[in-house]
Amino acid sequence: MVRLGIGAVVALATLACAQEADQTATLAELMAVDRRFAEETGEHRADGWMNYVADDAVMFQNGRPVSGRDDVRTMMAQVFQDTAFSLDWEPRQANVSAGGDLGYTIGRYRATHSAPEGADHEETGSYVTIWRRQPDRSWLVVLDIGNPDTPEPSGANE
């Protein structure tokens, strides 16, 4: 049986509290980064989006993966080419790996654009974004997946 002196117990408790405080701060940081990502995308459209994308990022468009920064840039430039298109989102939760180098955010998004028939169209849904911490301590997106809400079938609420 191993016996720890009071000093060792206090040191371990202090370390555990410090790690928990670091984890809490990192979660708050990641939520703030995701909010800035949304703000910059709203202000600068595709350029704002690309400020947060890693070179090896993967994103999904219509259920198909788009891999690499150049292809993601091409995809987002096409999406934001429609000047009536807007995209906003809000993270609702985050989690970070024990090592603090990977994390994810989960939230809700809303996209609006003009449909070909001239009516505005709105899509809402949920998303998950996986982030990787960079050597400069910033966070960049390595995977982004949006999942549109499924409309209720006709007559579901009748």
Side-chain angles (χ1 to χ4, degrees), residues 49-121:
W49 183 277
M50 295 308 299
N51 287 338
Y52 290 84
V53 175
D55 289 340
D56 58 346
V58 176
M59 308 190 113
F60 282 77
Q61 182 179 37
N62 301 323
R64 293 197 158 132
V66 176
S67 300
R69 187 173 173 80
D70 291 339
D71 289 343
V72 169
R73 179 184 302 281
T74 299
M75 176 187 77
M76 295 312 291
Q78 290 171 351
V79 168
F80 282 105
Q81 187 174 9
D82 175 1
T83 58
F85 176 77
S86 69
L87 175 65
D88 60 86
W89 66 90
E90 177 68 25
R92 295 202 173 161
Q93 81 180 72
N95 201 351
V96 178
S97 67
D101 58 339
L102 286 174
Y104 65 83
T105 51
I106 296 173
R108 298 284 300 159
Y109 73 86
R110 182 173 55 94
T112 59
H113 61 88
S114 295
E117 62 276 359
D120 285 346
H121 173 75

Side-chain angles (χ1 to χ4, degrees), residues 88 92 106-111 121-127 145-153:
D88 60 86
R92 295 202 173 161
I106 296 173
R108 298 284 300 159
Y109 73 86
R110 182 173 55 94
H121 173 75
E122 180 177 286
E123 175 183 295
T124 59
S126 299
Y127 73 89
I145 302 171
N147 187 27
D149 293 334
T150 303
E152 290 189 26

